[in-house]
């Protein structure tokens, strides 16, 4: 039994082919490596001469190319075998088969083939899924109407066109920017936008006790009068965004005139050439860059009424407003701003009629700016005004000797500054928090009776949020801003209590309006009842009308309404007794049921 040549290397030396005949093997799937070895074993073959290389002493030149390069080592790719010089020694048929094999296992061709087959399989699966859906939905219709194949294709085309239009529309108008995508009729009721904002707890537990006067902040601001809104802008608290809302996003009889390319807008009162807003975007930095409470209270009256005589100056009210922010986030945001080259050198820091000296307020850097400073260097400067900036800018610095630290001990100075900042913040007309944009908008609208055009947007991703710090650095920042931390806790408690108080007041007002509507319905019912009584007396004299079967039903309805009226008349007494005895819930339940029955009877009667 003759063995194939594939097994020859295992039994002995390979069989030598005849001289001059092409090297062949009886195994058609054997790699061409066998032919190459056979050709190389011949003493006078071209492969042996190539392997031998040039004669000794003769070197290849720099630009000289050998006729046949040395065969490369065995590689895992068949493309290397095709570029091998021994590839030319193979027969034409085997070269074509190797070329087809290389093209078949090419990575690009393989990826294209896999992608094509995957898409085909996906389309086939989608076809079956859509067919099953259409058979479930339109199966009864097809069985009744015997829909033909053309109608099915037309329906499928319409459905696919609708899906494509929805996808394109969603891509063009994502999120809440497109009003057409708000299908309120098919969606659940819109949740309260103030219920949970920025991951705040739904139930707020107050820590401080405030009076009703502290919580009820409703300013009788007449834009046509002489009162003025003064915006105290603290660095890196979102004041720029809020300032733009005041001049561009508020509903006014005479809106502010804002020109393209200019930061300042003209905000005049209706019929007057006098501003009603003192802020960066209306009057500019008239009292200095980021003027604090001490500067504004002494500067604003002079700037507004400086040209008038003291007798001619109107008795105007100055309503101060500001925005606060979490101290750690604000501190990191200011550091990043200083890194980009911000200096605030134009700030005057005027206190008691003079700016501070260089000894009272030294600088933390020596060059033109402090750009590129690391966070550690920013925290190590003891004269950095970023430390407790919110307390310093909201307090009255004249109480502690301005910037002269030798007037009183540091502990007493910090206590006086904190109490002054809390007092000024509580008596301000309004203040908001950066972390609660929608609640800030709501409280401003309720305080000044002025509405914004579009709602505020809560940006949870800022430059400060992109800074990753460990727990140790965070604790150090909190230690450097310990006064701001206490002030922010106080401000947040007061802010949320004011919000809850205003919401409860709004609900009570809505409840009062509903009660007035019910009283109005009662009056209408009494008038209708007396008219129906007069008609019933006239009908009692006519025996033909008494034969009407609906007469008894009408009389029963009137009697039921009279009973419900009697029950609803006792509603006030029940409420008063409920205030005195809050444990009586049964009587309240019966009263509410009687009121509901009364409203339903009125609807039937109408």
């Amino acid at each position: 039994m003759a063995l194939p040549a594939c097994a020859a290397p295992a039994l002995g030396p390979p069989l030598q082919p005849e001289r001059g005949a092409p090297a062949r093997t009886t195994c058609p799937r054997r790699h061409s490596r066998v032919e190459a070895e056979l050709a190389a074993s011949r003493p006078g073959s071209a492969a042996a001469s190539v392997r031998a290389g040039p004669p000794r002493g003769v070197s290849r030149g720099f630009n000289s190319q050998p006729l046949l390069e040395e065969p490369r080592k065995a590689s895992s790719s068949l493309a290397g075998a095709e570029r091998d010089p021994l590839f030319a020694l193979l027969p034409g048929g085997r070269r074509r088969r190797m070329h087809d094999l290389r093209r078949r296992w090419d990575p690009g061709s393989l990826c294209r083939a896999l992608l094509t087959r995957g898409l085909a399989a996906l389309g086939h699966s989608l076809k079956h899924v859509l067919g099953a859906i259409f058979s479930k939905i339109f199966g009864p219709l097809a069985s009744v109407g015997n829909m033909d194949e053309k109608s099915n294709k037309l329906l499928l085309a319409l459905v696919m066109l609708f899906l494509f239009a929805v996808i394109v529309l969603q891509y063009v108008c994502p999120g809440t920017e497109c009003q057409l995508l708000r299908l309120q009729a098919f969606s659940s009721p819109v949740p309260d936008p103030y219920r949970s904002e920025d991951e705040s707890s739904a139930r707020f537990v107050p820590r401080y006790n405030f009076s009703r006067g502290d919580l009820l902040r409703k300013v009788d601001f007449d834009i046509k009068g002489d009162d003025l809104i003064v915006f105290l802008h603290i660095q890196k608290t979102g004041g720029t965004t809020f300032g733009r809302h005041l001049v561009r996003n508020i509903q006014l009889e005479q809106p502010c005139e804002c020109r393209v390319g200019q930061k300042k807008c003209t905000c005049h009162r209706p019929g007057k050439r006098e501003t009603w807003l003192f802020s960066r975007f209306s009057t500019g930095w008239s009292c200095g860059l980021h003027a604090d409470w001490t500067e504004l209270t002494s500067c604003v009256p002079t700037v507004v009424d400086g040209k008038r005589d003291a007798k001619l100056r109107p008795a105007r009210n100055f309503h101060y407003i500001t925005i606060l922010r979490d101290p750690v986030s604000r501190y990191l945001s200011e550091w990043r701003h200083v890194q980009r080259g911000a200096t605030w050198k134009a700030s005057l820091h005027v206190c008691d009629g003079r700016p501070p000296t260089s000894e009272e307020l030294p600088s933390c850097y020596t060059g033109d700016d402090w750009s590129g400073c690391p966070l550690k260097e920013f925290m190590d400067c003891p004269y950095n005004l970023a430390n407790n900036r919110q307390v310093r800018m909201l307090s009255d610095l004249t109480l502690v000797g301005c910037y002269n630290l030798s007037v009183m001990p540091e502990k007493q100075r910090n206590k006086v500054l904190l109490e002054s900042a809390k007092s000024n913040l509580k008596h301000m007309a309004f203040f908001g928090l950066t972390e609660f944009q929608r609640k800030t908008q709501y409280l401003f609208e309720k305080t000044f009776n002025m509405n914004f055009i579009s709602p505020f947007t809560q940006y949870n991703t800022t430059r400060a949020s992109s800074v990753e710090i460990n727990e140790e650095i965070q604790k150090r920042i909190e230690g450097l801003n310990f006064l701001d931390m206490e002030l922010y806790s106080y401000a947040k408690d007061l802010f949320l209590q004011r919000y809850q108080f205003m919401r409860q007041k709004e609900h009570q007002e809505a409840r009062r309006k509903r009660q007035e509507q019910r009283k109005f319905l009662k009056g209408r019912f009494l008038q209708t009842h007396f008219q129906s009584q007069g008609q019933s007396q006239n009908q009692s004299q006519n025996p033909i009308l008494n034969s009407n079967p609906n007469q008894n039903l009408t009389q029963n309805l009137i009697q039921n309404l009279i009973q419900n009226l009697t029950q609803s008349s006792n509603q006030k007494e029940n409420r008063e007794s409920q205030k005195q005895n809050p444990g009586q819930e049964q009587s309240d339940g019966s009263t509410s049921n009687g009121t509901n029955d009364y409203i339903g009877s009125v609807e039937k009667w109408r």
Side-chain angles (χ1 to χ4, degrees):
M1 177 177 178
L3 294 174
C6 303
L11 299 178
L15 298 176
Q16 299 293 337
E18 297 180 2
R19 191 176 187 84
R24 296 177 181 271
T25 60
T26 57
C27 294
R29 297 185 180 274
R30 186 68 181 269
H31 196 270
S32 61
R33 190 174 179 181
V34 178
E35 284 89 347
E37 292 179 356
L38 291 177
S41 62
R42 298 176 183 176
S45 60
S49 62
V50 171
R51 180 177 297 178
R56 182 173 298 178
V58 179
S59 62
R60 295 187 178 96
F62 180 78
N63 296 325
S64 63
Q65 296 289 341
L67 182 62
L68 293 176
E69 296 179 354
E70 294 183 2
R72 300 178 182 178
K73 296 181 180 180
S75 62
S76 59
S77 175
L78 293 177
E82 183 177 351
R83 293 192 297 266
D84 201 305
L86 296 179
F87 185 77
L89 301 177
L90 300 177
R94 186 168 295 278
R95 286 200 304 269
R96 285 193 299 271
R97 286 195 298 270
M98 290 183 63
H99 180 72
D100 295 339
L101 185 64
R102 181 193 63 81
R103 186 176 59 183
R104 184 180 304 171
W105 291 99
D106 182 60
S109 301
L110 184 61
C111 292
R112 286 192 296 270
L114 291 176
L115 182 60
T116 304
R117 293 186 180 182
L119 291 177
L122 181 60
H124 188 67
S125 302
L126 184 60
K127 179 180 177 182
H128 281 286
V129 171
L130 291 177
I133 293 175
F134 289 139
S135 62
K136 292 290 184 181
I137 298 176
F138 302 104
L141 297 178
S143 61
V144 175
N146 294 325
M147 299 174 64
D148 53 354
E149 186 178 357
K150 292 184 178 180
S151 61
N152 290 333
K153 290 183 178 180
L154 179 60
L155 182 61
L156 179 61
L158 292 176
V159 172
M160 297 298 293
L161 182 62
F162 174 76
L163 294 176
F164 177 77
V166 169
I167 293 174
V168 171
L169 187 62
Q170 180 66 24
Y171 180 78
V172 174
C173 301
T176 58
E177 297 177 0
C178 189
Q179 300 290 336
L180 297 177
L181 295 180
R182 297 183 178 181
L183 304 178
Q184 298 180 356
F186 302 97
S187 61
S188 59
V190 180
D192 187 1
Y194 311 107
R195 178 67 62 183
S196 57
E197 183 180 23
D198 196 27
E199 299 180 359
S200 61
S201 57
R203 293 187 176 182
F204 165 67
V205 180
R207 296 176 51 190
Y208 298 89
N209 295 324
F210 296 103
S211 64
R212 179 183 175 86
D214 297 334
L215 300 180
L216 181 59
R217 306 302 296 174
K218 193 169 182 61
V219 177
D220 188 13
F221 177 73
D222 185 11
I223 195 173
K224 298 181 181 179
D226 297 321
D227 295 346
L228 190 69
I229 296 178
V230 183
F231 181 36
L232 196 159
H233 187 178
I234 303 175
Q235 289 93 320
K236 313 312 296 178
T237 57
T240 301
T241 303
F242 185 77
R244 289 197 181 101
H245 281 302
L246 293 178
V247 298
R248 299 176 182 268
N249 188 31
I250 198 166
Q251 296 178 359
L252 297 173
E253 180 181 349
Q254 182 178 343
C256 299
E257 297 180 3
C258 301
R259 298 181 180 180
V260 180
Q262 295 182 0
K263 292 184 178 181
K264 292 197 302 182
C265 302
T266 304
C267 299
H268 286 164
R269 305 180 191 272
K272 296 182 181 179
R273 298 189 61 84
E274 181 182 353
T275 184
W276 57 270
L277 176 65
F278 192 94
S279 69
R280 166 189 178 183
F281 294 105
S282 59
T283 58
W285 303 110
S286 302
C287 293
L289 181 62
H290 290 284
D292 54 19
W293 172 272
T294 307
E295 294 176 287
L296 289 177
T297 52
S298 60
C299 171
V300 173
T302 305
V303 172
V304 176
D305 299 323
K307 297 181 180 179
R308 300 182 182 181
D309 295 336
K311 297 181 180 180
L312 300 178
R313 293 180 182 180
R316 65 174 81 244
N317 296 320
F318 298 96
H319 303 291
Y320 288 88
I321 61 175
T322 189
I323 300 292
L324 297 181
R325 188 180 180 183
D326 175 71
V328 177
S329 300
R330 198 213 64 80
Y331 189 85
L332 292 174
S333 181
E334 182 171 346
W335 165 63
R336 293 293 299 271
H337 198 57
V338 169
Q339 268 192 331
R340 296 190 298 269
T343 59
W344 296 298
K345 289 182 178 180
S347 298
L348 302 178
H349 303 295
V350 176
C351 180
D352 265 347
R354 66 174 183 87
T357 61
S358 58
E359 290 79 11
E360 294 175 344
L361 190 61
S363 178
C364 291
Y365 54 91
T366 56
D368 295 335
D369 53 26
W370 207 4
S371 58
C373 69
L375 181 59
K376 186 178 183 305
E377 182 180 350
F378 189 78
M379 294 187 296
D380 290 341
C381 179
Y383 314 107
N384 195 348
L385 293 178
N387 302 336
N388 297 313
R389 180 181 289 277
Q390 298 183 94
V391 170
R392 180 182 58 82
M393 294 189 67
L394 289 176
S395 60
D396 188 1
L397 296 180
T398 58
L399 300 176
V400 294
C402 297
Y403 294 92
N404 188 2
L405 302 181
S406 60
V407 173
M408 61 180 63
E410 182 181 1
K411 187 176 182 180
Q412 183 181 358
R413 176 186 175 89
N414 293 336
K415 183 179 180 180
V416 173
L417 287 176
L418 182 60
E419 294 300 326
S420 176
K422 287 182 178 180
S423 177
N424 293 335
L425 186 69
K426 183 175 64 175
H427 292 93
M428 272 186 174
F430 164 81
F431 74 90
L433 298 180
T434 309
E435 288 75 18
F436 302 95
Q437 291 290 323
R438 297 297 298 273
K439 292 182 176 66
T440 298
Q441 176 185 356
Y442 174 81
L443 287 179
F444 183 88
E445 292 176 347
K446 295 301 179 182
T447 302
F448 290 96
N449 196 19
M450 303 170 69
N451 297 325
F452 290 95
I453 301 174
S454 59
F456 289 8
T457 305
Q458 183 70 47
Y459 295 103
N460 294 325
T461 302
T462 59
R463 292 188 177 94
S465 62
S466 62
V467 180
E468 296 182 358
I469 58 175
N470 53 29
E471 186 177 358
E472 181 180 358
I473 296 179
Q474 183 174 356
K475 288 183 178 180
R476 186 179 179 188
I477 295 176
E478 292 176 357
L480 293 173
N481 298 271
F482 68 99
L483 295 178
D484 277 5
M485 295 294 294
E486 189 170 351
L487 176 66
Y488 183 78
S489 176
Y490 176 86
K492 184 177 179 181
D493 193 279
L494 177 58
F495 177 84
L496 294 179
Q497 285 196 45
R498 282 181 178 177
Y499 168 75
Q500 284 189 348
F501 181 81
M502 296 300 293
R503 293 285 285 182
Q504 291 175 1
K505 192 172 180 297
E506 185 180 8
H507 293 332
Q508 292 175 0
E509 186 69 19
R511 191 181 300 112
R512 186 185 62 81
K513 290 182 179 180
R514 289 196 299 268
Q515 291 176 359
E516 291 180 355
Q517 292 177 357
R518 290 173 183 175
K519 290 180 180 179
F520 176 75
L521 289 176
K522 290 178 184 179
R524 290 287 301 273
F525 166 73
L526 289 175
Q527 182 181 1
T528 308
H529 172 64
F530 292 142
Q531 292 177 358
S532 62
Q533 267 189 345
Q535 293 178 0
S536 62
Q537 291 178 0
N538 295 331
Q539 291 176 0
S540 61
Q541 299 176 0
N542 191 353
I544 300 176
L545 294 176
N546 289 331
S547 61
N548 189 0
N550 295 329
Q551 182 66 26
N552 296 329
L553 180 61
T554 305
Q555 292 178 357
N556 294 332
L557 179 60
I558 292 174
Q559 292 178 359
N560 292 332
L561 292 175
I562 292 174
Q563 293 177 0
N564 292 330
L565 263 178
T566 306
Q567 294 179 359
S568 60
S569 63
N570 298 327
Q571 185 176 3
K572 293 183 179 179
E573 298 178 358
N574 293 331
R575 288 182 179 176
E576 292 178 357
S577 63
Q578 181 185 3
K579 292 180 180 179
Q580 296 176 358
N581 300 321
Q584 298 179 356
E585 298 177 355
Q586 186 175 359
S587 61
D588 293 339
S590 63
T591 305
S592 61
N593 294 332
T595 304
N596 295 332
D597 296 338
Y598 164 73
I599 295 299
S601 300
V602 170
E603 294 296 333
K604 292 180 180 179
W605 175 255
R606 295 179 62 184

